[in-house]
Amino acid sequence: MTDLEKILNLRKTLHEHPNLSLNEAETAGILKEFLRENTDLEIVDRGAWFYAAHREAGAGQNIAFRCDTDGIPNEDGTPYHGCGHDGHMATLCGLALEISGKKFGKNIFLLFQPAEETGQGGLICKDFVGDEKIDEIYGFHNTPGFKENRLLLRDRAYACASKGMTASLHGRQSHAGYPEHGINPAFLIADVITKLGDFLDDGKYESMVLATIVCVKVGERNFGVSPGTGELSMTIRAHYERDLDKLQRSLEKYISEKAEAAGMDCAFSYADVFPDTVNDSALYQKIKAMLDAKGYDYEILPEPFRWSEDFGYYPRQTKGFYFGVGEGEDWTPAHTKDFDFNDRLIAPVVRLFLDVISL
């Protein structure tokens, strides 16, 4: 590919300047400066996010490629690129170099999306699809644990829908010596945890559902008090959002009814909400046929990944296709302190994107 060394240097710069979700101004500045200095693409600045556009008069199709721009907190709370988004950005900039000044008979858009890690970015940017009348949109993720540069494909569901669910319970505080005078939410929280498997019964859902306890809080370490407040936080996830909604309703109904019977108030709150990422079947078949014709190495995944990805907002607006790229069978897992993106993925993914454009 053109100027690979320039792209590798850009990736290093991005790696050294990570920003957390919805605070990607520095990262966006680096990217826009690079694109303005090295390509003829139009920069469309939307404030918290932007995209680069290659437009051709009389183009017959609008095709988009999306990357994510945020980092994650390290163990000490400082931001770092522990998921590979610096590599995603560098790859799209590599594609920008390849398409600049050329003719494809298509309008090509490169979307630089913030806040993937919190699930907010796709929601913020999804109207881009309608604004630019995008016919197809593509995204990818580096994937440790698989053969290097092997493409990871699935028809339909690719990554789970998920959300953080917190049940807040308010009973009545009492003296620890007279717990019967109060209403302690610990017993209801323990009941929900004990019965959690019942809510995940396979017979109730189309596909996998999962609930993971992430935080339990009841009162304080005060041995003279029987607490009156408590919280139970879970990450709930499913291959399909309709199953996630069913699981959520089931948990809300059970907890609400038990709380009311015990004389407690109950409220639910949600965070880090991700849609299911579901590939368009026709697009999947078209891409798979192209990979076969050109001899790409790929495998079809037996089930969706359990992690979530806010790319899922885009296939609800138009045809979308998301895939993985193996980073190496022994590559350090993402979201760990020693993770770094495998630069050897960049040129092959740029080549793949060019082949997609040529379809």
Side-chain angles (χ1 to χ4, degrees):
M1 63 170 277
T2 304
D3 290 330
L4 177 59
E5 193 63 33
K6 185 179 288 186
I7 292 299
L8 296 180
N9 288 335
L10 172 64
R11 210 282 291 180
K12 180 180 178 182
T13 299
L14 292 166
H15 188 79
E16 292 170 349
H17 296 84
N19 301 146
L20 296 180
S21 300
L22 297 181
N23 292 280
E24 299 94 339
E26 182 182 20
T27 295
I30 293 168
L31 291 165
K32 286 183 280 192
E33 180 181 6
F34 179 89
L35 292 168
R36 287 181 178 126
E37 290 182 355
N38 295 281
T39 78
D40 63 358
L41 273 61
E42 172 194 357
I43 305 297
V44 181
D45 197 333
R46 293 291 183 88
W49 56 283
F50 76 97
Y51 57 94
H54 166 94
R55 304 184 194 270
E56 298 182 25
Q61 188 181 33
N62 298 329
I63 185 170
F65 300 88
R66 168 270 199 179
C67 72
D68 26 27
T69 63
D70 52 337
I72 62 174
N74 210 329
E75 292 176 352
D76 61 2
T78 59
Y80 83 119
H81 275 298
C83 198
H85 296 182
D86 50 341
H88 302 176
M89 292 181 276
T91 300
L92 249 61
C93 287
L95 180 60
L97 295 181
E98 295 294 332
I99 66 176
S100 180
K102 299 176 183 175
K103 298 291 186 182
F104 298 92
K106 298 178 181 180
N107 295 321
I108 304 166
F109 300 86
L110 309 181
L111 172 59
F112 294 85
Q113 179 212 292
E116 183 279 328
E117 292 292 339
T118 60
Q120 297 166 284
L123 188 60
I124 292 169
C125 298
K126 65 181 179 63
D127 289 344
F128 150 82
V129 172
D131 292 345
E132 293 290 357
K133 298 180 173 57
I134 302 300
D135 297 300
E136 297 175 0
I137 187 167
Y138 296 84
F140 83 101
H141 209 292
N142 50 295
T143 313
F146 292 85
K147 181 183 174 183
E148 185 176 298
N149 277 311
R150 172 170 288 170
L151 303 177
L152 309 173
L153 314 181
R154 263 192 67 81
D155 189 9
R156 304 297 295 158
Y158 192 89
C160 283
S162 69
K163 62 180 66 177
M165 175 182 185
T166 296
S168 298
L169 301 166
H170 299 269
R172 185 170 65 247
Q173 181 178 304
S174 68
H175 192 289
Y178 300 91
E180 68 274 17
H181 293 167
I183 303 174
N184 189 329
F187 299 101
L188 175 51
I189 289 174
D191 176 58
V192 175
I193 293 172
T194 302
K195 292 184 170 64
L196 197 55
D198 295 342
F199 294 96
L200 309 178
D201 181 4
D202 290 345
K204 302 175 183 177
Y205 306 100
E206 290 182 47
S207 191
M208 185 217 76
V209 295
L210 183 66
T212 303
I213 305 296
V214 298
C215 184
V216 177
K217 182 174 175 59
V218 181
E220 304 295 337
R221 191 174 293 178
N222 185 334
F223 297 100
V225 173
S226 176
T229 60
E231 287 187 348
L232 174 63
S233 295
M234 299 172 278
T235 301
I236 56 175
R237 67 181 70 240
H239 286 169
Y240 292 102
E241 192 163 336
R242 52 188 174 270
D243 279 339
L244 184 71
D245 292 341
K246 186 183 294 186
L247 173 60
Q248 176 183 327
R249 290 193 299 269
S250 179
L251 285 165
E252 285 181 349
K253 182 175 186 293
Y254 183 86
I255 295 170
S256 297
E257 290 177 351
K258 290 290 185 179
E260 183 178 6
M264 285 184 284
D265 293 328
C266 177
F268 299 96
S269 58
Y270 296 90
D272 290 7
V273 178
F274 288 84
D276 46 4
T277 294
V278 180
N279 286 331
D280 179 82
S281 287
L283 210 52
Y284 165 80
Q285 294 296 338
K286 183 172 81 167
I287 296 302
K288 184 175 176 296
M290 182 270 286
L291 299 179
D292 286 331
K294 292 183 175 290
Y296 278 92
D297 179 25
Y298 70 84
E299 67 177 271
I300 299 172
L301 298 169
E303 62 181 19
F305 283 108
R306 290 188 181 182
W307 42 258
S308 299
E309 166 58 67
D310 70 357
F311 182 86
Y313 285 110
Y314 305 116
R316 298 178 179 198
Q317 315 293 318
T318 190
K319 292 182 178 180
F321 185 75
Y322 195 81
F323 64 95
V325 184
E327 205 150 20
E329 292 163 308
D330 298 319
W331 200 262
T332 302
H335 287 227
T336 58
K337 65 183 182 66
D338 295 324
F339 174 83
D340 197 2
F341 182 83
N342 184 347
D343 285 333
R344 293 187 295 274
L345 273 55
I346 293 175
V349 175
V350 170
R351 174 200 162 204
L352 171 62
F353 283 164
L354 289 171
D355 284 339
V356 168
I357 292 170
S358 70
L359 286 175

